[in-house]
Amino acid sequence: MFLSDIFVFQEISRHVRELLGFEEPVFSRSIALPYRDNMGLFLERKSRTGQKADALTFSQFVQEAGLEPYSTFPPVQQTQMGRN
């Protein structure tokens, strides 16, 4: 793998995080900041390979990690058709 390949992977990862609305994992993150997003934590766990990671579901992860179940996405606002 070349250095340019690593840069491309980093750029792809950054764009995916932006599209999904996840913050970049920072190891020096202050504990004073709000908790990280459940979905982001789940995807970090799923990024590993193996049967255990493949079999892990989001609800199972939330339960095993002792996290509060909540929606990671804001509710979709329904538009009223035909109204100005």
Side-chain angles (χ1 to χ4, degrees):
M1 186 178 297
F2 296 103
L3 189 57
S4 61
D5 293 336
I6 294 171
F7 177 73
V8 169
F9 290 132
Q10 289 174 338
E11 283 297 301
I12 291 170
S13 296
R14 183 177 63 80
H15 286 294
V16 169
R17 279 193 302 274
E18 287 175 2
L19 288 170
L20 296 176
F22 299 136
E23 64 183 73
E24 184 173 358
V26 179
F27 297 104
S28 61
R29 189 173 191 277
S30 171
I31 62 171
L33 293 174
Y35 290 119
R36 300 235 350 256
D37 187 288
N38 287 358
M39 184 57 76
L41 294 170
F42 171 69
L43 292 176
E44 280 182 23
R45 177 76 59 89
K46 289 288 283 187
S47 69
R48 297 182 179 97
T49 59
Q51 289 180 345
K52 234 176 142 177
D54 290 344
L56 184 65
T57 64
F58 180 70
S59 57
Q60 179 186 7
F61 168 75
V62 169
Q63 183 179 17
E64 289 176 0
L67 302 171
E68 287 290 322
Y70 65 90
S71 174
T72 57
F73 301 100
V76 177
Q77 295 179 357
Q78 295 180 351
T79 59
Q80 295 179 358
M81 297 181 65
R83 295 223 169 155
N84 292 332

